[in-house]
Amino acid sequence: MEMDTLGKKICRHRKAKGYSQEELAELVGVSRQAISKWEADLTRPSFDNLQALCVALKVKMDFFMDEWSRVPESENKGEAHAKNAMAAAAGAESVTVAEVAAVAESGEEEAAVGTAASRDDEEAEKEKRKRKRKFILLLLGIVVFALLFVVGCVITVVLGFVVFTPNQGDDSLNSMALMKDEFFWVLLATLTVLLVEIILIRVFRQRKG
């Protein structure tokens, strides 16, 4: 009796399931030529493709193990590590479509998580730069209003000396009345600047804390 080869097993079970080479190739995710070469024993499927074949043909992993292992290593370089994995899977239940789908979904979820994490990092970096700009503007505002307050104090003091210095004559009295108005307006403006400065300093301390 002629011994079954890996290619013959694949061909027999493909026909038993009613698949053409094109249909099986689509299920496995390879070309029709790849299926043809497997069935002719010209090449053997990779370990991943063998798993997909088991899913498509609804057989256990150990069903193809002996024949797959007998194919010369030169035909599939880099797959020596897969033999041990297949041997460990020999006694396991058949790989189901749901299990393969679960693995695929897991990979998609990991990719989605990675993309979301990258997006979150970008948003966090943008928010950080935005807070830094606000902090610098706040500090600049404190410096500007501090200078305005100093200037207002100087002007208020000078006007105070002029307004409240005793003057004689009608012209002096008239000019003093005008300067009193200016004095009170400057004083009000200086107090307003002081109030704004206090508010900015409190906001600065809250942001810094």
Side-chain angles (χ1 to χ4, degrees):
M1 181 177 176
E2 187 178 358
M3 181 181 66
D4 267 354
T5 63
L6 179 62
K8 289 179 180 179
K9 276 192 172 183
I10 294 173
C11 181
R12 184 168 64 249
H13 280 77
R14 171 179 64 79
K15 292 179 179 179
K17 295 296 182 183
Y19 296 141
S20 64
Q21 287 186 344
E22 290 84 356
E23 290 171 335
L24 183 59
E26 185 176 352
L27 291 173
V28 176
V30 296
S31 65
R32 186 198 63 79
Q33 289 78 5
I35 299 295
S36 178
K37 288 180 180 181
W38 295 346
E39 292 184 352
D41 291 312
L42 297 176
T43 60
R44 72 176 181 183
S46 67
F47 183 67
D48 291 338
N49 288 336
L50 193 66
Q51 286 181 312
L53 273 173
C54 291
V55 173
L57 299 177
K58 296 180 174 59
V59 296
K60 295 182 179 180
M61 288 289 293
D62 60 340
F63 181 78
F64 293 121
M65 186 182 67
D66 291 339
E67 290 75 15
W68 187 86
S69 300
R70 281 196 292 268
V71 179
E73 286 294 324
S74 59
E75 295 183 6
N76 287 274
K77 294 179 180 180
E79 293 181 359
H81 66 281
K83 285 187 177 181
N84 295 330
M86 286 192 66
E93 294 295 327
S94 61
V95 179
T96 64
V97 176
E99 289 172 341
V100 174
V103 172
E105 289 177 1
S106 176
E108 292 175 357
E109 288 176 0
E110 289 179 1
V113 169
T115 303
S118 178
R119 191 180 300 111
D120 290 341
D121 290 341
E122 291 178 1
E123 292 295 330
E125 187 64 26
K126 288 181 181 179
E127 186 65 24
K128 185 177 179 180
R129 288 196 296 266
K130 187 176 179 181
R131 287 198 302 267
K132 187 176 181 180
R133 285 196 297 267
K134 287 183 178 180
F135 184 81
I136 293 174
L137 289 174
L138 184 60
L139 189 60
L140 183 62
I142 291 174
V143 173
V144 170
F145 276 90
L147 292 175
L148 290 175
F149 177 71
V150 172
V151 173
C153 288
V154 172
I155 295 175
T156 302
V157 171
V158 171
L159 285 176
F161 275 115
V162 174
V163 169
F164 296 105
T165 298
N167 292 290
Q168 295 178 355
D170 294 337
D171 293 338
S172 297
L173 291 174
N174 291 335
S175 62
M176 185 178 66
L178 292 173
M179 295 190 72
K180 277 185 178 180
D181 293 338
E182 295 176 357
F183 170 79
F184 287 117
W185 280 113
V186 172
L187 179 61
L188 180 61
T190 303
L191 292 176
T192 302
V193 170
L194 177 61
L195 179 62
V196 174
E197 179 74 4
I198 292 172
I199 294 173
L200 290 176
I201 291 174
R202 292 190 64 179
V203 173
F204 177 79
R205 288 179 177 177
Q206 290 176 356
R207 294 285 180 87
K208 190 176 181 181

